Amino acid sequence: MAQEVVSAHFPATKNQDYHHDHQLLQYQCIKTPFSFSPSCKVFFSHDPIKIVRAKGQYMYDENGVRYLDCINNVAHVGHSHPMVVKAGAEQMELLNTNSRFLHDNLVQYAQRLQATLPEKLSVCYFVNSGSEANDLALRLAWEYTGHKDVITLDNAYHGHVSSLINISPYKFHQLANAEQSKSVHVALSPDLYRGNYRQDHPDPATAYADDVNNLIQKAHEKGHKVAAFIAESLQSCGGQVIPPAGYFQKVAQHVHQAGGLFIADEVQVGFGRVGTHFWAFQLQGEDFVPDIVTMGKPIGNGHPMSCVVTTREVAEAFKNSGMEYFNTFGGNPVSCAIGLAVLDVIEKEDLQGNALRVGGYLMRLLEQQKEKHPLVGDIRGRGLFVGAELVRDRVKLTPATAEAQDIIYKLKEQHILLSADGPHRNVLKFKPPMCFSEEDADMVVEKIDQILTDIEKALGLQMPSTVHTENGSHKRNVQPEENGCHHSNGIGHSRDTSQQHASQQNKRLRP
């Protein structure tokens, strides 16, 4: 049978300097012509890559060209990890069925997962995606509180189903003439670099938490009641935002006083990525425990699996509603076998410790670029969750959006895959597989250094002699010790102490 050319249309992104309106990809297959939805999006849409295999932190295209993957936080323990592949294949040979039958894998996985969390988070609901997890979390909060309103953060993204688009400003701000739901309230993103309260503020945690409290009071004045506050433990699509210490505790106090629950979204940042802790919400301190935690992406290393963990009180209220909850594929034997293998690999290969060590090293390399390049405005992150915000003017914080896009395309030409995000698409995002190495960090930062040098030369940019913030005060550089790493100047945690902390966290993975 003769092969027919099949057309697939993909859309442009917002930066038309680097993208065409619609890109036409040609695939050879034995089918009739078809077209993907024009709202679907691929990486590097004006010159996309066809990836055919991957291993560890590397991906390979159809011509065998190897790319360093700095994007893929889904392949958490590395692409095609043999222990994960083996666990899934062996269980699939035996049985895969829905969770209405008893199976040891489900019980064992739930026990292993709960061992990494605070004691009060003791009830698991297994589902198939981060979107499903966050949607279920909202249902739990609505049922437990009897309230309807939700507070979310500006630039937040929590998923693609209808209930989550409503609480994802990252998405609904893109809709023309869209009206924000009256039951959704958008709080300030706790961004210490370009937010309302910055690094020179005496108490940004309280200031940002007070903004949440103000929203609660305004909702009450209109006769509304708050069911939940939901936040990514570290904002990812919003630009790799690290909330100030103590912020979650203060927000939780306000929300609980209003009768609501605190939902921590760990879909992007959980499972040891932050290095010092297994969960990113733990960065806020041991005195903070969410009422509901959602997880996805890394949980199955690319296998469609996710989970909601909550307290027994919340789970009982959900049960007492009278509506039975059932998920056909959530918690199936294959998914749980894969989930167990992922936990085993994190422990066996000390990937949480690797995130701490390599993430700290990457942060130091990027801080050096900040001292060298005027386009680099801010470096922030924890473990292998790092952002480099690019600006054309360090005083006005003018986003260097086009330059960020230029960098990611030039890196692609040199076989390095990186993305840019944030509300201005000017933050270079590092969320690689957890097996990412110091050698990988050296390579990508060296290439970024070269590209920045060329761009700044073309623009005639030079380093200013003194850097001030927009309000005129001297700007404090982000301290690398905030990543929990050792430094030759003696500031911050020692490497031995940080590694011991990570080791203690990993021990909790054991049965």
Side-chain angles (χ1 to χ4, degrees):
M1 183 181 295
Q3 290 187 333
E4 297 183 21
V5 176
V6 178
S7 300
H9 293 272
F10 292 95
T13 68
K14 289 185 175 180
N15 297 295
Q16 297 301 325
D17 291 343
Y18 295 91
H19 304 84
H20 301 296
D21 286 340
H22 291 284
Q23 303 305 328
L24 182 61
L25 308 184
Q26 300 291 332
Y27 291 97
Q28 299 290 330
C29 66
I30 309 173
K31 289 186 178 179
T32 56
F34 72 98
S35 177
F36 287 121
S37 166
S39 57
C40 294
K41 182 180 177 182
V42 296
F43 285 124
F44 313 106
S45 58
H46 85 282
D47 186 22
I49 311 169
K50 183 179 178 181
I51 297 295
V52 298
R53 65 185 179 92
K55 187 174 182 61
Q57 65 271 48
Y58 302 105
M59 304 179 80
Y60 298 81
D61 72 11
E62 57 189 327
N63 298 312
V65 176
R66 189 181 80 170
Y67 292 82
L68 174 63
D69 182 3
C70 302
I71 295 174
N72 214 313
N73 63 330
V74 178
H76 190 65
V77 300
H79 293 278
S80 306
H81 195 286
M83 285 181 61
V84 178
V85 172
K86 181 181 179 182
E90 288 182 348
Q91 181 56 53
M92 193 172 290
E93 286 182 342
L94 293 174
L95 170 72
N96 198 25
T97 186
N98 66 55
S99 55
R100 289 196 174 187
F101 295 99
L102 301 178
H103 199 278
D104 289 345
N105 285 1
L106 178 62
V107 177
Q108 291 171 6
Y109 185 69
Q111 290 175 338
R112 289 280 299 279
L113 195 61
Q114 288 167 8
T116 69
L117 291 158
E119 186 176 355
K120 86 171 203 176
L121 294 169
S122 58
V123 180
C124 297
Y125 296 86
F126 290 103
V127 288
N128 306 292
S129 69
S131 291
E132 272 195 70
N134 282 327
D135 181 72
L136 178 56
L138 292 181
R139 288 180 61 191
L140 291 171
W142 289 330
E143 195 60 48
Y144 178 80
T145 64
H147 304 166
K148 190 64 178 177
D149 286 28
V150 177
I151 299 176
T152 187
L153 293 178
D154 199 12
N155 306 318
Y157 175 64
H158 294 290
H160 61 78
V161 300
S162 297
S163 66
L164 304 178
I165 294 296
N166 286 340
I167 63 168
S168 297
Y170 179 82
K171 286 292 186 183
F172 70 63
H173 283 335
Q174 299 175 16
L175 300 174
N177 303 317
E179 290 188 12
Q180 182 179 315
S181 170
K182 293 180 180 179
S183 63
V184 175
H185 312 278
V186 179
L188 296 172
S189 171
D191 184 346
L192 296 180
Y193 181 63
R194 66 167 61 246
N196 284 31
Y197 310 107
R198 301 181 182 179
Q199 292 162 346
D200 56 350
H201 190 281
D203 188 1
T206 297
Y208 280 116
D210 285 347
D211 174 63
V212 174
N213 194 36
N214 289 337
L215 289 176
I216 293 172
Q217 301 310 315
K218 290 178 180 178
H220 286 176
E221 290 171 4
K222 296 178 180 178
H224 292 228
K225 292 184 178 180
V226 173
F229 170 89
I230 184 169
E232 301 158 88
S233 297
L234 305 176
Q235 275 194 296
S236 179
C237 293
Q240 307 292 90
V241 174
I242 314 297
Y247 170 66
F248 281 179
Q249 288 92 328
K250 296 175 188 297
V251 169
Q253 183 179 3
H254 296 315
V255 172
H256 288 156
Q257 287 176 349
L261 299 180
F262 192 112
I263 303 171
D265 179 342
E266 292 271 337
V267 171
Q268 300 263 19
V269 294
F271 293 88
R273 177 164 292 278
V274 298
T276 53
H277 299 79
F278 200 75
W279 303 105
F281 72 79
Q282 294 171 322
L283 292 168
Q284 291 281 311
E286 293 183 1
D287 60 332
F288 172 68
V289 180
D291 301 294
I292 303 173
V293 175
T294 62
M295 50 195 76
K297 292 187 188 295
I299 192 171
N301 208 54
H303 181 81
M305 179 185 188
S306 62
C307 186
V308 180
V309 186
T310 188
T311 66
R312 191 158 299 281
E313 293 78 13
V314 172
E316 286 292 331
F318 191 56
K319 184 192 75 171
N320 292 338
S321 70
M323 181 183 292
E324 179 187 78
Y325 179 76
F326 172 63
N327 189 299
T328 302
F329 297 108
N332 69 73
V334 171
S335 293
C336 290
I338 287 172
L340 284 164
V342 170
L343 294 180
D344 287 340
V345 174
I346 293 172
E347 179 185 352
K348 182 179 179 180
E349 299 182 5
D350 187 27
L351 293 183
Q352 183 179 330
N354 188 67
L356 180 65
R357 293 184 295 271
V358 177
Y361 182 71
L362 175 61
M363 285 276 286
R364 291 194 293 275
L365 292 179
L366 291 170
E367 285 285 353
Q368 292 171 8
Q369 299 306 305
K370 179 181 171 183
E371 297 301 318
K372 182 178 178 180
H373 294 287
L375 278 172
V376 182
D378 191 40
I379 304 298
R380 51 186 179 262
R382 299 291 185 274
L384 283 174
F385 179 89
V386 177
E389 180 153 359
L390 305 185
V391 294
R392 291 188 177 186
D393 187 309
R394 289 191 178 185
V395 176
K396 297 179 180 179
L397 304 187
T398 309
T401 301
E403 290 79 1
Q405 297 301 313
D406 200 8
I407 288 171
I408 64 173
Y409 273 90
K410 282 183 165 59
L411 285 174
K412 172 183 168 289
E413 292 171 2
Q414 300 186 59
H415 308 138
I416 297 172
L417 306 180
L418 190 65
S419 63
D421 218 326
H424 305 288
R425 301 295 193 271
N426 67 318
V427 181
L428 302 180
K429 298 200 312 182
F430 294 83
K431 297 185 298 179
M434 296 273 279
C435 50
F436 199 75
S437 70
E438 291 188 357
E439 291 75 18
D440 297 327
D442 282 329
M443 182 171 73
V444 67
V445 175
E446 178 184 353
K447 300 298 185 184
I448 289 173
D449 181 18
Q450 295 170 356
I451 296 168
L452 284 169
T453 299
D454 293 341
I455 292 174
E456 289 165 353
K457 183 178 179 180
L459 295 174
L461 293 176
Q462 295 182 344
M463 283 294 292
S465 57
T466 305
V467 178
H468 291 271
T469 56
E470 197 167 20
N471 62 13
S473 62
H474 185 73
K475 183 182 183 302
R476 178 184 71 84
N477 286 338
V478 177
Q479 293 297 323
E481 76 269 17
E482 292 175 357
N483 215 335
C485 305
H486 175 73
H487 303 282
S488 59
N489 61 10
I491 299 175
H493 307 293
S494 70
R495 175 169 289 187
D496 290 342
T497 302
S498 298
Q499 286 184 254
Q500 183 180 11
H501 191 176
S503 177
Q504 290 171 349
Q505 290 285 325
N506 281 334
K507 286 179 181 178
R508 303 188 69 192
L509 294 174
R510 297 171 183 151

Coordinates of all heavy atoms in Angstrom, one line a residue, residues 305-363:
M305 N 0.0 8.2 36.4 CA -0.3 7.9 37.8 C -0.3 9.1 38.6 O 0.6 10.0 38.3 CB 0.7 6.9 38.3 CG 0.5 6.4 39.7 SD 1.8 5.3 40.3 CE 1.2 4.8 41.9
S306 N -1.1 9.3 39.6 CA -1.1 10.4 40.5 C -1.8 10.0 41.8 O -2.4 8.9 41.9 CB -1.7 11.6 39.9 OG -3.1 11.5 39.6
C307 N -1.8 10.9 42.8 CA -2.3 10.6 44.1 C -2.8 11.9 44.8 O -2.2 12.9 44.6 CB -1.3 9.8 44.9 SG -1.9 9.2 46.5
V308 N -3.8 11.7 45.6 CA -4.2 12.7 46.6 C -4.1 12.1 48.0 O -4.5 11.0 48.2 CB -5.7 13.1 46.4 CG1 -6.1 14.2 47.4 CG2 -5.9 13.7 44.9
V309 N -3.4 12.8 48.9 CA -3.3 12.3 50.3 C -3.9 13.4 51.2 O -3.6 14.6 51.0 CB -1.8 12.1 50.6 CG1 -1.7 11.4 52.0 CG2 -1.1 11.2 49.6
T310 N -4.7 12.9 52.1 CA -5.3 13.9 53.0 C -5.5 13.3 54.4 O -5.0 12.2 54.7 CB -6.7 14.3 52.4 OG1 -7.2 15.3 53.2 CG2 -7.7 13.1 52.4
T311 N -6.1 14.0 55.3 CA -6.3 13.5 56.6 C -7.5 12.6 56.7 O -8.4 12.6 55.9 CB -6.6 14.7 57.6 OG1 -7.8 15.4 57.2 CG2 -5.4 15.7 57.5
R312 N -7.6 11.8 57.8 CA -8.7 10.9 58.0 C -10.1 11.7 58.1 O -11.1 11.3 57.7 CB -8.5 10.1 59.2 CG -9.5 8.9 59.4 CD -8.9 7.8 60.2 NE -7.7 7.2 59.7 CZ -7.7 6.3 58.7 NH1 -8.8 5.9 58.2 NH2 -6.5 5.9 58.3
E313 N -10.0 12.9 58.8 CA -11.2 13.7 59.0 C -11.8 14.1 57.6 O -13.0 14.1 57.4 CB -10.9 14.9 59.8 CG -10.5 14.6 61.3 CD -9.1 14.1 61.4 OE1 -8.3 14.3 60.5 OE2 -8.8 13.6 62.5
V314 N -10.9 14.6 56.7 CA -11.4 15.0 55.4 C -12.0 13.8 54.6 O -13.0 13.9 54.0 CB -10.3 15.7 54.6 CG1 -10.7 16.0 53.2 CG2 -9.9 17.0 55.3
A315 N -11.3 12.7 54.7 CA -11.7 11.5 54.0 C -13.1 11.0 54.5 O -13.9 10.6 53.7 CB -10.7 10.4 54.1
E316 N -13.3 11.1 55.8 CA -14.5 10.6 56.4 C -15.7 11.5 55.9 O -16.8 11.1 55.6 CB -14.5 10.7 57.9 CG -13.6 9.5 58.5 CD -14.3 8.2 58.4 OE1 -15.5 8.1 58.3 OE2 -13.5 7.2 58.2
A317 N -15.4 12.8 55.9 CA -16.5 13.8 55.4 C -16.8 13.5 53.9 O -18.0 13.5 53.6 CB -16.0 15.2 55.5
F318 N -15.8 13.1 53.1 CA -16.1 12.8 51.7 C -16.9 11.5 51.6 O -17.9 11.4 50.8 CB -14.8 12.6 51.0 CG -14.9 12.5 49.5 CD1 -15.5 13.5 48.8 CD2 -14.3 11.4 48.8 CE1 -15.6 13.4 47.4 CE2 -14.4 11.3 47.4 CZ -15.0 12.4 46.7
K319 N -16.6 10.5 52.5 CA -17.4 9.3 52.5 C -18.8 9.5 52.9 O -19.8 8.9 52.4 CB -16.7 8.3 53.4 CG -17.3 6.9 53.4 CD -16.9 6.0 54.5 CE -17.5 6.5 55.9 NZ -17.2 5.5 57.0
N320 N -19.0 10.3 53.9 CA -20.3 10.6 54.5 C -21.2 11.4 53.5 O -22.4 11.5 53.8 CB -20.2 11.3 55.8 CG -19.5 10.4 56.9 OD1 -19.6 9.2 56.8 ND2 -19.0 11.1 57.9
S321 N -20.7 11.9 52.4 CA -21.5 12.6 51.5 C -22.5 11.6 50.8 O -23.5 12.1 50.3 CB -20.6 13.2 50.4 OG -20.1 12.2 49.5
G322 N -22.2 10.3 50.9 CA -23.1 9.3 50.3 C -22.8 9.0 48.9 O -23.3 8.0 48.3
M323 N -21.8 9.7 48.2 CA -21.4 9.4 46.9 C -20.2 8.5 46.9 O -19.2 8.8 47.4 CB -21.1 10.7 46.1 CG -20.7 10.4 44.6 SD -20.3 11.9 43.7 CE -21.9 12.7 43.6
E324 N -20.3 7.3 46.2 CA -19.2 6.4 46.2 C -18.1 7.0 45.2 O -18.5 7.5 44.2 CB -19.7 5.1 45.6 CG -18.6 4.0 45.5 CD -19.1 2.8 44.8 OE1 -19.3 2.8 43.6 OE2 -19.4 1.8 45.5
Y325 N -16.9 6.8 45.6 CA -15.8 7.3 44.7 C -15.1 6.0 44.1 O -14.7 5.1 44.9 CB -14.7 8.1 45.5 CG -13.6 8.5 44.5 CD1 -13.8 9.5 43.6 CD2 -12.4 7.8 44.5 CE1 -12.8 9.9 42.7 CE2 -11.4 8.2 43.6 CZ -11.6 9.2 42.7 OH -10.6 9.5 41.8
F326 N -14.9 6.1 42.8 CA -14.3 5.0 42.1 C -13.5 5.5 41.0 O -14.0 6.3 40.2 CB -15.3 3.9 41.7 CG -14.7 2.8 40.8 CD1 -13.7 2.0 41.3 CD2 -15.1 2.7 39.5 CE1 -13.1 1.0 40.5 CE2 -14.5 1.7 38.7 CZ -13.5 0.9 39.2
N327 N -12.3 5.0 40.8 CA -11.5 5.4 39.6 C -11.0 4.1 39.0 O -10.2 3.3 39.6 CB -10.3 6.2 40.1 CG -9.5 6.8 38.9 OD1 -9.0 6.1 38.1 ND2 -9.5 8.2 38.9
T328 N -11.3 3.9 37.7 CA -11.1 2.6 37.1 C -9.6 2.2 37.1 O -9.2 1.1 37.4 CB -11.6 2.6 35.6 OG1 -13.0 2.9 35.6 CG2 -11.3 1.3 34.9
F329 N -8.7 3.1 36.7 CA -7.3 2.8 36.6 C -6.5 3.3 37.7 O -5.3 2.9 37.9 CB -6.8 3.3 35.3 CG -7.4 2.8 34.0 CD1 -8.3 3.5 33.3 CD2 -7.2 1.5 33.7 CE1 -8.9 3.0 32.2 CE2 -7.8 0.9 32.6 CZ -8.6 1.7 31.8
G330 N -7.0 4.2 38.6 CA -6.2 4.7 39.7 C -5.8 3.6 40.7 O -6.7 2.8 41.2
G331 N -4.5 3.4 40.9 CA -4.0 2.4 41.9 C -4.1 1.0 41.3 O -4.0 0.1 42.1
N332 N -4.0 0.9 40.0 CA -4.0 -0.5 39.4 C -2.7 -1.2 39.7 O -1.7 -0.5 40.1 CB -4.3 -0.5 37.9 CG -3.2 0.2 37.1 OD1 -2.1 -0.4 37.0 ND2 -3.4 1.4 36.7
P333 N -2.6 -2.5 39.7 CA -1.3 -3.2 40.1 C -0.1 -2.7 39.3 O 1.0 -2.7 39.9 CB -1.7 -4.6 39.8 CG -3.2 -4.7 39.9 CD -3.7 -3.4 39.4
V334 N -0.2 -2.5 38.0 CA 0.9 -2.0 37.2 C 1.4 -0.6 37.7 O 2.6 -0.4 37.9 CB 0.6 -2.0 35.7 CG1 1.8 -1.4 35.0 CG2 0.4 -3.5 35.3
S335 N 0.5 0.3 37.9 CA 0.9 1.6 38.3 C 1.6 1.6 39.7 O 2.6 2.3 39.9 CB -0.4 2.5 38.4 OG -0.9 2.8 37.1
C336 N 1.0 0.8 40.6 CA 1.6 0.7 41.9 C 3.0 0.0 41.9 O 3.9 0.4 42.6 CB 0.7 0.0 42.9 SG -0.8 1.0 43.3
A337 N 3.2 -1.0 41.0 CA 4.5 -1.6 40.9 C 5.5 -0.6 40.4 O 6.6 -0.5 40.8 CB 4.4 -2.8 39.9
I338 N 5.1 0.2 39.4 CA 6.0 1.3 38.9 C 6.3 2.3 39.9 O 7.4 2.7 40.1 CB 5.3 1.9 37.6 CG1 5.4 0.9 36.4 CG2 6.0 3.2 37.2 CD1 4.6 1.3 35.2
G339 N 5.2 2.7 40.7 CA 5.4 3.7 41.7 C 6.4 3.2 42.8 O 7.3 4.0 43.3
L340 N 6.3 1.9 43.2 CA 7.2 1.3 44.1 C 8.7 1.4 43.6 O 9.6 1.7 44.3 CB 6.8 -0.1 44.5 CG 5.6 -0.2 45.4 CD1 5.1 -1.7 45.4 CD2 6.0 0.1 46.8
A341 N 8.8 1.0 42.3 CA 10.1 1.0 41.7 C 10.8 2.4 41.7 O 12.0 2.6 41.9 CB 10.1 0.5 40.3
V342 N 9.9 3.5 41.4 CA 10.4 4.8 41.4 C 11.0 5.2 42.8 O 12.1 5.8 43.0 CB 9.3 5.8 41.0 CG1 9.8 7.3 41.3 CG2 9.0 5.6 39.5
L343 N 10.2 4.8 43.9 CA 10.7 5.1 45.2 C 12.0 4.3 45.5 O 12.9 4.9 46.2 CB 9.6 4.7 46.3 CG 8.3 5.5 46.2 CD1 7.4 5.0 47.3 CD2 8.6 7.0 46.5
D344 N 12.1 3.1 45.0 CA 13.3 2.3 45.2 C 14.5 3.0 44.6 O 15.6 3.1 45.1 CB 13.1 0.9 44.6 CG 12.2 0.0 45.5 OD1 12.0 0.3 46.7 OD2 11.7 -1.0 44.9
V345 N 14.3 3.5 43.3 CA 15.4 4.1 42.6 C 15.9 5.4 43.3 O 17.1 5.7 43.4 CB 15.0 4.4 41.1 CG1 16.1 5.2 40.4 CG2 14.8 3.1 40.4
I346 N 14.9 6.2 43.8 CA 15.2 7.5 44.5 C 16.1 7.2 45.6 O 17.2 7.8 45.9 CB 14.0 8.2 44.9 CG1 13.2 8.7 43.7 CG2 14.3 9.4 45.9 CD1 11.8 9.3 44.1
E347 N 15.8 6.1 46.4 CA 16.6 5.7 47.5 C 17.9 5.1 47.1 O 19.0 5.5 47.6 CB 15.8 4.8 48.4 CG 16.6 4.3 49.7 CD 15.8 3.3 50.5 OE1 14.7 3.0 50.2 OE2 16.4 2.7 51.4
K348 N 17.9 4.1 46.3 CA 19.1 3.3 45.9 C 20.1 4.2 45.3 O 21.3 4.1 45.6 CB 18.7 2.2 45.0 CG 19.8 1.3 44.5 CD 19.4 0.2 43.6 CE 20.6 -0.7 43.2 NZ 20.1 -1.8 42.3
E349 N 19.7 5.1 44.4 CA 20.7 6.0 43.7 C 20.9 7.3 44.4 O 21.5 8.2 43.8 CB 20.2 6.1 42.3 CG 20.2 4.8 41.5 CD 19.8 4.9 40.1 OE1 19.6 6.1 39.6 OE2 19.6 3.9 39.4
D350 N 20.3 7.5 45.5 CA 20.4 8.8 46.3 C 20.1 10.0 45.4 O 20.9 11.0 45.4 CB 21.8 8.9 46.9 CG 22.0 10.1 47.9 OD1 20.9 10.5 48.4 OD2 23.1 10.7 48.0
L351 N 19.0 9.9 44.7 CA 18.7 11.0 43.8 C 18.3 12.3 44.5 O 18.5 13.4 44.0 CB 17.6 10.5 42.8 CG 18.0 9.4 41.9 CD1 16.9 9.1 40.9 CD2 19.3 9.8 41.1
Q352 N 17.7 12.2 45.7 CA 17.4 13.4 46.5 C 18.7 14.1 46.9 O 18.9 15.3 46.8 CB 16.6 13.0 47.7 CG 16.2 14.3 48.6 CD 15.4 13.9 49.8 OE1 14.7 12.9 49.8 NE2 15.6 14.7 50.8
G353 N 19.7 13.3 47.3 CA 21.0 13.8 47.6 C 21.7 14.4 46.3 O 22.4 15.5 46.4
N354 N 21.5 13.8 45.2 CA 22.1 14.3 43.9 C 21.4 15.6 43.6 O 22.1 16.5 43.1 CB 21.8 13.3 42.8 CG 22.5 13.7 41.5 OD1 23.8 13.7 41.5 ND2 21.8 14.0 40.5
A355 N 20.1 15.7 43.8 CA 19.4 17.0 43.5 C 20.0 18.1 44.4 O 20.2 19.3 43.9 CB 17.9 16.9 43.8
L356 N 20.3 17.8 45.6 CA 20.9 18.8 46.5 C 22.3 19.2 46.1 O 22.6 20.4 45.9 CB 21.0 18.2 47.9 CG 21.6 19.1 49.0 CD1 20.7 20.3 49.3 CD2 21.8 18.3 50.3
R357 N 23.1 18.2 45.7 CA 24.5 18.5 45.3 C 24.6 19.2 44.0 O 25.2 20.3 43.8 CB 25.3 17.2 45.3 CG 25.6 16.6 46.7 CD 26.4 15.4 46.6 NE 25.8 14.3 45.8 CZ 25.0 13.4 46.3 NH1 24.7 13.4 47.6 NH2 24.5 12.4 45.5
V358 N 23.9 18.6 43.0 CA 24.0 19.1 41.6 C 23.2 20.4 41.5 O 23.7 21.4 40.8 CB 23.6 18.1 40.6 CG1 23.6 18.7 39.2 CG2 24.4 16.8 40.7
G359 N 22.1 20.5 42.2 CA 21.3 21.7 42.1 C 22.1 22.9 42.7 O 22.1 24.0 42.2
G360 N 22.8 22.6 43.8 CA 23.6 23.7 44.4 C 24.7 24.1 43.5 O 25.1 25.3 43.4
Y361 N 25.3 23.2 42.8 CA 26.4 23.4 41.9 C 25.9 24.3 40.7 O 26.5 25.3 40.3 CB 27.0 22.1 41.4 CG 28.2 22.3 40.5 CD1 29.4 22.7 40.9 CD2 28.1 22.0 39.1 CE1 30.5 22.9 40.0 CE2 29.1 22.1 38.2 CZ 30.3 22.5 38.7 OH 31.4 22.7 37.8
L362 N 24.7 23.9 40.2 CA 24.1 24.6 39.1 C 23.8 26.1 39.5 O 24.1 27.0 38.8 CB 22.9 23.9 38.6 CG 22.0 24.6 37.6 CD1 22.8 24.8 36.3 CD2 20.7 23.8 37.3
M363 N 23.3 26.2 40.7 CA 23.0 27.6 41.2 C 24.2 28.4 41.3 O 24.2 29.6 40.9 CB 22.3 27.5 42.6 CG 20.9 27.0 42.6 SD 19.7 28.4 42.3 CE 19.8 29.3 43.8

